Amino acid sequence: MTDDERSGHGAGGRHAAGRTPDGNPGDGEIGGGAVGEGGGEVGGPPLVPGDPGEPTPPQGLSVPDPMTDTGRHALIESVHPPPAPVAEVPAAPTVEPHPASEGPAPTGSVYRSPEAGQLRRYAPLAAAAVVLALLAGLAGGWIGWTLAGRSVSDGALARPLPQADPASAQLTPVEAVAEKVLPSVVLLKVEGGGPGEDEGSGVVLSPDGLVLTNDHVVAAAATGGTVTALLQDGRAFPARITGRDSGSDLALVRLDGATGLTAAELGNSESLRVGQQVVAIGAPLGLDGTVTTGIVSALDRAVSVGGEQGGQATVLNAVQHDAPINPGNSGGPLVDLQGRVVGINSAIASTGGSQGGSIGVGFSIPVNQARRVADELNRTGRAIRAVLGVTVTGVGQPASGGAVVGQVTPGGPAAQAGLHPGDVVLRVADRPISDGDELVAAIRDHEPGEQVGLTLADRRVTVTLAGEPS
């Protein structure tokens, strides 16, 4: 290195190079203080242009670029710049504690203890240890969580099942009804003269095999077909028809060779209330022993069933309920929560289609009417129904409702009571009449020979009902 280069660096180093030739500070000036080993000045007052101590850039040399000159030469060169002729203001030295044996720290120096270097050397090891500890903790937590989850999921599987002891468990009302009534319900398989077979249900009335069912269930076997009854205990018996009443849609069959059967207990349909809970039992779609529950939706509902193939429709005075019933439930019992039969399931409402199922609107023949018809069929083989001796028509029916009398049978109960064609019947006893079906259903709810009051549009009369074979 030449003397000129030395004098250039020694005269100002980076700070001198940071000034422009006209003496103004350049972009490279930092702090304005001289950096030197001999002076020990740190953060002194900045030099003012024109001061005697301001260094002069060497002539003939290029001014160092403040953006690229890092001042390394000033730090590396062994030649130091001459002290500036300005008055020195001693800066407060920074003194750090150090071992007493080494004496006071030199002015302007920073002391670092040997332990600091050692700590710096071991810092990566400490960080690695912390990371390993975290990883180990996470792994342990995951293993613990996995084992805990497995132990929870295996907990129920690890415990033995309780001993099956149905006898010690208290039965709910519906369970008690099912246990009581199921042995008294049979599945009837009917093969008639045509293709295929029909299925329905029946209620056992006597230990020797007298069974009550719907007439439409066994009608196909009335002309040379067969009926087979299947009991809940698996036994099967051939059955024969002993009486039919198409007007009430009821029939009796007897199981040949049956003994010791469980007879059902009959209730009283007059005690039914709207909203009362009921249970339906039967064989919907051939599924014998099916139990469903619901409530009584309405009483004294006039329902016209049958008549699809040119036959005469049957009008039932029915109990409406929402216990689900389907084809195959016909002839089965509707029972109360004491297990007493209060109706015989006979029909369902549907939204259309030949395969309509339950929509929550089912109809049952009241057991009081069913019992009377069954007793007549058992004694005489036929049933007698009550009649008024009139026909009804829809012509002239008022908007407020009522049944309009069409024809009056000469000498019949209505004629003897003074009814005429065109009279409008508004009530039978206390029951409102809205149309002709309601009048027919109301009369069939009574027995032959019974006296009944009729409320007409303009008067009130009393009739004595007659009877005729169904």
Side-chain angles (χ1 to χ4, degrees), residues 125-183:
L125 296 177
V130 171
V131 171
L132 289 176
L134 289 174
L135 292 176
L138 291 174
W142 180 82
I143 294 174
W145 176 82
T146 302
L147 293 178
R150 184 175 301 170
S151 64
V152 169
S153 63
D154 292 347
L157 299 177
R159 292 192 294 269
L161 294 176
Q163 294 294 325
D165 189 10
S168 65
Q170 184 176 1
L171 298 179
T172 65
V174 176
E175 288 178 292
V177 167
E179 185 177 70
K180 175 181 179 180
V181 180
L182 276 171

Side-chain angles (χ1 to χ4, degrees), residues 424-449:
V424 179
V425 181
L426 301 179
R427 285 181 178 270
V428 174
D430 294 330
R431 176 174 175 173
I433 303 301
S434 60
D435 54 25
D437 283 349
E438 284 281 355
L439 178 60
V440 174
I443 295 300
R444 289 184 177 178
D445 192 40
H446 295 273
E447 297 183 19

Side-chain angles (χ1 to χ4, degrees), residues 406-427:
Q407 297 180 354
V408 178
T409 303
Q416 294 178 9
L419 270 71
H420 306 284
D423 282 337
V424 179
V425 181
L426 301 179
R427 285 181 178 270

Side-chain angles (χ1 to χ4, degrees), residues 12-20 24-29 63-64 66 69:
R14 183 178 178 186
H15 296 284
R19 297 180 183 273
T20 59
N24 294 325
D27 293 336
E29 183 173 351
V63 179
D69 185 13

